[in-house]
Amino acid sequence: MERFQRFARTVLAHWNGGQGDQHDPERARSVYQSSTMGALIQGVYDGDVTVGELLKHGDFGLGTFNHLDGEMLVMDGVCYHLHADGSVEVASGDDRSPFAALTRFRTDISEKVSSPMTRQEVTALVDRLIRSANLIYAVKITGLFPTVTTRTVKEQKPPYPPLTEAAAGQAETTFTDVEGTLVGYRTPDYEQGISVAGYHLHFIDTSHTRGGHDLDFILDRGTIELAERSALQLALPTTEQFLSSDLTPANLESQIRQAEGG
Ligand code: ZN
């Protein structure tokens, strides 16, 4: 028995080691992001990074797909493609993304929720749980939700409109009495434009058949898990559109708030 336990520990250690974390603490505390929110706001909807490449950098995160074709949610190493028509499929390794942020999720902070809370109350609770608003936190909220309101962006055709226009045509859905998981980040305010400052969460239900970009929710009961991240690896596209776009428009802040909501 003891030998088996030692064997099991060794296997587990190697399995984790295979992900490179123990031997590479830098990787374990970093978020890998491709492109910037500012680029997405400007209509840079085609990226050169594949889902397969993204998954080498993390097992948890969010983003979107080329042509702004729906929302991306990555959980437990699986990349889900949430389509505007409400359907969900597992993304192919060859699918490409113009914006995504992944990390290897390991829980640093965990908090049970046992009475109903609004989105505002949950995010205020997370604000109290973290030790600093100046670091990045991966946020995973699993539980029973009386309501979750999401939107899912629709596939766009070139010439691409800016995100505020594209998002105006988004499909909005409210799920009721649904079990599922919110996956995303709490990002420092100074990162606005690189990412979405504050909370950016995507939702998927337990059966992995419904979900979208979270706009609002009520959490009846569940668990909040947070992973503190102190490094950001930013991979920039070298596509023609990215290279030639003005990525610092004057009203970036208000455009992000309008496009991302929630
Ligand atoms: Zn989103």
Side-chain angles (χ1 to χ4, degrees):
M1 190 60 195
E2 202 187 320
R3 257 182 76 185
F4 171 74
Q5 282 174 345
R6 201 164 53 229
F7 167 74
R9 269 199 302 273
T10 308
V11 168
L12 281 173
H14 282 162
W15 187 77
N16 283 330
Q19 306 289 313
D21 292 359
Q22 284 138 316
H23 309 295
D24 190 351
E26 178 100 13
R27 253 177 109 176
R29 63 184 175 84
S30 70
V31 171
Y32 176 90
Q33 185 179 304
S34 65
S35 194
T36 69
M37 196 61 215
L40 205 63
I41 286 289
Q42 290 298 84
V44 183
Y45 300 151
D46 289 324
D48 43 16
V49 66
T50 63
V51 165
E53 177 64 25
L54 287 170
L55 289 174
K56 288 182 194 164
H57 298 277
D59 56 15
F60 177 98
L62 51 66
T64 183
F65 293 88
N66 272 15
H67 318 301
L68 200 69
D69 182 13
E71 310 284 342
M72 177 191 290
L73 183 149
V74 179
M75 190 171 62
D76 302 325
V78 180
C79 180
Y80 297 96
H81 191 156
L82 317 174
H83 293 278
D85 67 2
S87 65
V88 175
E89 61 178 0
V90 174
S92 148
D94 300 332
D95 288 346
R96 286 172 195 270
S97 168
F99 177 84
L102 279 84
T103 191
R104 290 171 205 284
F105 195 91
R106 305 289 177 269
T107 307
D108 293 318
I109 301 165
S110 181
E111 180 84 1
K112 284 248 181 300
V113 171
S114 49
S115 57
M117 295 178 93
T118 62
R119 186 186 204 270
Q120 210 176 0
E121 288 166 341
V122 168
T123 55
L125 172 60
V126 173
D127 287 350
R128 291 195 297 276
L129 290 171
I130 61 174
R131 65 169 170 158
S132 171
N134 295 336
L135 293 174
I136 305 164
Y137 289 86
V139 178
K140 183 179 184 184
I141 304 171
T142 309
L144 183 64
F145 299 84
T147 64
V148 182
T149 302
T150 66
R151 74 100 198 270
T152 305
V153 285
K154 279 187 194 139
E155 183 171 12
Q156 302 293 312
K157 291 191 171 44
Y160 292 137
L163 188 59
T164 46
E165 260 175 59
Q170 66 199 1
E172 233 177 87
T173 311
T174 298
F175 304 113
T176 55
D177 298 322
V178 62
E179 263 185 84
T181 306
L182 289 159
V183 162
Y185 296 94
R186 186 199 188 284
T187 300
D189 286 346
Y190 62 76
E191 244 201 84
Q192 184 73 302
I194 302 285
S195 311
V196 179
Y199 291 88
H200 184 189
L201 302 166
H202 287 184
F203 177 79
I204 193 163
D205 75 336
T206 308
S207 62
H208 304 151
T209 54
R210 298 179 295 172
H213 168 102
D214 169 65
L215 296 173
D216 201 8
F217 66 81
I218 295 171
L219 174 64
D220 195 42
R221 57 182 184 274
T223 306
I224 299 169
E225 291 170 88
L226 307 171
E228 186 178 284
R229 294 292 172 260
S230 56
L232 176 65
Q233 189 184 350
L234 189 59
L236 299 173
T238 52
T239 55
E240 182 49 40
Q241 200 196 1
F242 184 87
L243 298 180
S244 60
S245 293
D246 170 15
L247 301 181
T248 49
N251 54 352
L252 184 62
E253 163 96 19
S254 63
Q255 284 197 66
I256 291 176
R257 290 199 187 285
Q258 189 188 334
E260 292 305 302

